[in-house]
Amino acid sequence: MRNLSLFFILFLLTIHPCRANNELDSLFIELDNKIKKKDIYIELKEIRIKELKTESTSTNLSINNAYALNTLLYKEYKSYISDSAIAYLNKNLDLAVILKDQTKINDTSIAMANLFAILGMYKEAIDMIDRVNRDYLDKSQMIEYYSTQRIIYNSLGLYSHNNRDKSRYQQMAKAFRDTLSNIADKSSEAYLRIEEIQLRIDGRISDALLVNNRRLSMTVIGTPEYALVTFNRSLLYRKNNDTIMEKKYLILSAISDIQSSIRDNASIPILANMLMQEGNIDRAYKYVRFSLDNINDYNTRFRSSEILSIQTIIEKAYQKKTVEQNNKLRLFLILISVLLVLLTISIFYVYKQMKKGIIIGKRLKEANLELNTLNQKLHNMNNELRKLNMEVVEANQIKEEYIGYFLDECSKYIDKLDALRKTINKKIQEKQIESLYKMTKNNNMKDDELKELFRNFDIMFTHLFPDFVEKFNSLLMDEEQIILKKGETLNNELRIYALIRLGIDDSGKIANFLGYSVNTIYNYRAKTKNKAKISREDFDWTVKKIGTFRK
């Protein structure tokens, strides 16, 4: 009986990992399907936004109703498009000032500080939260106020490289966390969230999981709240070194993010990193590309830099895997060639043996025809392989050039930020507030940076494709040739098709890079196609074939 019990226990220990892996496989399949259907969820969100915008344009709308609609639009945009979320908060701030409603001013200021903190705009977040008049805060606002303060200083402590500042920020975050614990209702989400964090910090993972269970019971699958709580649960399992359960709740969080059209998500990049470390390069690469596209649409450099660092590591592993596959393909080609030689020898021998009769000769003729067909297919395969290899080499070389350029530009941008930090620090020490105000009000810095970005892009592109302008003009009618002004390397029209030549043919992405509207990009492209010598349908394809890459 004792032996039977021991066998049963061993059987359960063996079957548990199998069941867990089967569950993970099913969840991965579901996540992949959600990624494929992401446009459906985006369309549903756009419909909701359109309905709210239509309602907000009503001429009979009161200021209070306008404020309420702007709040709903902000919530729709908060994790969808950051610029739009900030815009609607600014509108509400103006309306609250007009109404002289301190409650609404505080609500909007706290929400804006919270959003700035999420976007990594800590200076703006602190400035905004400091404007809040705490004398007019009710209990719910007080909870949001201290929660936002905790997020700001917790993030500063997490990302600060100065140990003295890091310690100070962490102490401030702890003070705000303690204040929240004292004022929040014991059964509220705010209190439970703080309690779970503290338990996780203390290493009491079992107790933290019980608190997380209570938080999960207060959410619904497919909502932003469920995505957040499951992400927090994955952190608990990470602390416990339980990778299977950590992946499970990262996947559940990611699925809810997609269903809620949340573009600012942390689950998928972490999941991609775990998969990369396990050797699942293809899926890791797919997830990190999906996440990077999302965060680019959301428009925040803070999260983008985090994902880019993960993407760089995964891309290197992906390229290594590609090289290994190419080596295997070469080996297969050698084996096929050897087999082909052996086949040729065999056919020649059979041919000599079958010359004795007409029937044998007829069969030999048929064999030769089959061999010719096989040779032609092999020749065609070799030609296709050669073309693919050339395209891969060119794409890799272009990536190397642009990665080098990107790293150099990042270094320069960090130096500029440090110089700006030193200037601001000096002016703060010297209490030159008016000078700081003028500096931050001036948009020249942004315009100069954009001009510098375009100038560097033009130089890099013409270095890669020195005859692009000449070849591009050859596609246009003689009277429609593009003549660049003195000092210009590319103009707007050429810059659009330079991006297309690099493989970026989505008008939305081109518009984001150049700072134009999508309609403007469509108009430029349509206008250019009308000037072409060749058909409009072939124009973009022909542009993509311009030039041969020169290192």
Side-chain angles (χ1 to χ4, degrees):
M1 186 68 182
R2 183 179 178 183
N3 291 335
L4 183 61
S5 300
L6 180 61
F7 173 78
F8 184 70
I9 292 172
L10 291 172
F11 175 75
L12 288 178
L13 290 174
T14 304
I15 200 170
H16 175 69
C18 295
R19 286 183 177 176
N21 286 328
N22 290 337
E23 183 182 17
L24 275 183
D25 291 340
S26 299
L27 286 172
F28 272 122
I29 292 171
E30 185 178 356
L31 176 57
D32 292 341
N33 289 333
K34 295 297 182 186
I35 290 174
K36 291 177 183 177
K37 297 176 181 178
K38 68 180 179 65
D39 290 337
I40 296 175
Y41 300 111
I42 294 293
E43 184 178 355
L44 292 173
K45 176 172 276 291
E46 289 290 347
I47 290 172
R48 292 197 300 272
I49 290 173
K50 185 177 180 181
E51 289 174 351
L52 289 171
K53 285 183 176 179
T54 301
E55 190 175 351
S56 68
T57 57
S58 173
T59 55
N60 298 324
L61 203 64
S62 67
I63 295 179
N64 281 313
N65 287 338
Y67 180 92
L69 285 170
N70 286 343
T71 301
L72 292 175
L73 283 164
Y74 150 70
K75 289 178 180 178
E76 290 290 344
Y77 277 120
K78 182 179 179 182
S79 300
Y80 183 56
I81 300 176
S82 61
D83 292 345
S84 298
I86 293 172
Y88 280 103
L89 284 177
N90 278 320
K91 287 181 180 180
N92 264 2
L93 198 56
D94 292 338
L95 292 176
V97 171
I98 292 171
L99 291 169
K100 297 180 180 180
D101 188 330
Q102 190 61 48
T103 299
K104 286 184 171 58
I105 292 173
N106 285 340
D107 269 340
T108 308
S109 299
I110 294 170
M112 191 171 288
N114 185 280
L115 181 57
F116 285 156
I118 292 171
L119 296 174
M121 301 165 63
Y122 301 121
K123 174 64 169 61
E124 293 85 347
I126 293 171
D127 289 344
M128 185 58 66
I129 202 71
D130 286 345
R131 297 178 190 175
V132 174
N133 189 336
R134 286 187 291 175
D135 294 337
Y136 292 90
L137 295 178
D138 58 25
K139 184 176 179 179
S140 62
Q141 288 177 322
M142 194 70 75
I143 291 172
E144 290 299 322
Y145 172 81
Y146 284 112
S147 178
T148 300
Q149 289 276 30
R150 185 196 68 81
I151 291 170
I152 293 170
Y153 287 99
N154 186 64
S155 299
L156 284 170
L158 183 64
Y159 293 104
S160 175
H161 296 288
N162 186 327
N163 288 333
R164 180 178 296 178
D165 287 340
K166 181 187 285 287
S167 177
R168 180 167 60 89
Y169 293 145
Q170 288 173 345
Q171 288 299 320
M172 293 177 71
K174 184 179 183 303
F176 288 124
R177 188 167 66 243
D178 292 342
T179 303
L180 267 174
S181 296
N182 290 330
I183 65 174
D185 293 336
K186 303 300 181 183
S187 61
S188 67
E189 161 63 19
Y191 179 85
L192 293 174
R193 181 169 64 250
I194 294 301
E195 185 181 11
E196 181 183 325
I197 292 171
Q198 189 58 54
L199 289 170
R200 188 178 74 220
I201 293 171
D202 295 341
R204 297 167 58 188
I205 305 303
S206 297
D207 293 335
L209 284 170
L210 293 176
V211 175
N212 187 271
N213 288 339
R214 294 176 62 188
R215 294 179 64 202
L216 273 177
S217 67
M218 298 163 63
T219 64
V220 177
I221 296 175
T223 61
E225 294 77 19
Y226 184 83
L228 176 61
V229 177
T230 48
F231 176 75
N232 291 155
R233 193 173 185 88
S234 74
L235 298 179
L236 297 175
Y237 284 116
R238 167 170 286 197
K239 195 91 172 178
N240 239 8
N241 295 319
D242 189 340
T243 55
I244 292 178
M245 294 302 288
E246 180 186 0
K247 281 193 284 189
K248 172 183 175 179
Y249 283 98
L250 283 173
I251 295 170
L252 289 172
S253 177
I255 289 171
S256 289
D257 278 339
I258 295 170
Q259 287 180 313
S260 305
S261 300
I262 294 175
R263 286 170 169 165
D264 180 25
N265 59 71
S267 306
I268 293 184
I270 295 174
L271 189 60
N273 194 37
M274 293 179 70
L275 292 171
M276 187 274 297
Q277 292 175 0
E278 293 172 358
N280 194 344
I281 307 300
D282 292 334
R283 180 168 264 154
Y285 185 78
K286 178 174 67 174
Y287 286 172
V288 81
R289 288 301 311 169
F290 170 77
S291 187
L292 188 58
D293 289 341
N294 265 352
I295 213 64
N296 285 336
D297 291 334
Y298 183 59
N299 193 20
T300 171
R301 293 182 181 178
F302 173 69
R303 188 79 71 189
S304 180
S305 62
E306 292 180 342
I307 298 173
L308 279 171
S309 63
I310 299 173
Q311 184 198 19
T312 302
I313 298 170
I314 293 176
E315 278 196 342
K316 287 181 180 178
Y318 190 80
Q319 289 172 359
K320 181 180 178 182
K321 182 180 179 181
T322 302
V323 170
E324 291 174 353
Q325 289 177 339
N326 286 338
N327 290 336
K328 288 181 181 179
L329 184 59
R330 291 190 188 95
L331 178 61
F332 289 149
L333 285 174
I334 292 172
L335 290 174
I336 290 173
S337 299
V338 171
L339 290 173
L340 183 60
V341 170
L342 293 175
L343 179 62
T344 304
I345 294 172
S346 299
I347 291 175
F348 182 73
Y349 175 78
V350 171
Y351 173 76
K352 288 184 67 177
Q353 296 298 318
M354 294 181 66
K355 285 177 67 177
K356 298 176 182 180
I358 298 174
I359 296 175
I360 295 175
K362 182 179 179 182
R363 290 179 179 175
L364 179 61
K365 184 178 180 180
E366 292 174 352
N368 283 332
L369 288 174
E370 291 178 1
L371 178 61
N372 289 335
T373 302
L374 182 62
N375 284 332
Q376 185 60 44
K377 289 181 179 179
L378 184 60
H379 179 72
N380 293 338
M381 288 173 61
N382 286 333
N383 287 338
E384 290 296 323
L385 182 61
R386 193 178 298 110
K387 291 178 183 178
L388 288 173
N389 283 336
M390 289 174 65
E391 292 176 359
V392 169
V393 169
E394 181 181 25
N396 286 338
Q397 289 175 323
I398 290 174
K399 283 182 180 178
E400 290 173 6
E401 290 281 343
Y402 271 94
I403 287 171
Y405 158 72
F406 170 77
L407 292 174
D408 184 57
E409 286 302 304
C410 281
S411 177
K412 291 177 183 177
Y413 188 70
I414 289 170
D415 289 340
K416 288 180 181 180
L417 283 177
D418 191 56
L420 179 62
R421 178 190 65 77
K422 290 177 180 178
T423 300
I424 292 174
N425 185 268
K426 182 178 179 182
K427 289 182 180 292
I428 290 173
Q429 289 177 351
E430 296 174 359
K431 298 183 178 180
Q432 297 179 11
I433 305 304
E434 184 63 26
S435 176
L436 277 174
Y437 175 73
K438 290 179 180 179
M439 180 188 297
T440 55
K441 186 177 181 182
N442 195 336
N443 287 327
N444 288 340
M445 183 183 295
K446 177 184 176 183
D447 295 339
D448 291 343
E449 288 298 327
L450 285 174
K451 289 178 182 177
E452 179 69 13
L453 172 65
F454 294 152
R455 186 184 73 80
N456 288 336
F457 172 81
D458 296 347
I459 292 171
M460 176 61 69
F461 182 82
T462 52
H463 167 69
L464 293 172
F465 303 97
D467 58 350
F468 179 78
V469 177
E470 178 185 349
K471 297 293 185 182
F472 188 82
N473 272 330
S474 69
L475 301 177
L476 304 179
M477 293 182 286
D478 294 341
E479 64 275 17
E480 299 293 348
Q481 299 283 304
I482 296 175
I483 300 174
L484 294 171
K485 297 177 182 178
K486 184 177 180 181
E488 277 189 338
T489 305
L490 298 174
N491 60 12
N492 290 335
E493 193 171 6
L494 287 169
R495 204 170 285 128
I496 290 170
Y497 280 93
L499 290 168
I500 291 173
R501 175 59 184 89
L502 292 174
I504 304 171
D505 56 4
D506 180 74
S507 293
K509 293 181 179 178
I510 295 173
N512 284 339
F513 177 75
L514 296 179
Y516 296 126
S517 68
V518 176
N519 286 336
T520 301
I521 300 302
Y522 279 134
N523 291 337
Y524 264 117
R525 294 178 72 171
K527 184 178 179 182
T528 303
K529 289 179 181 179
N530 290 335
K531 301 176 184 178
K533 293 179 182 179
I534 61 177
S535 68
R536 290 170 56 90
E537 291 75 17
D538 296 335
F539 189 79
D540 284 356
W541 181 86
T542 307
V543 170
K544 291 179 181 179
K545 299 298 179 182
I546 287 178
T548 301
F549 179 78
R550 299 175 177 86
K551 184 146 179 147

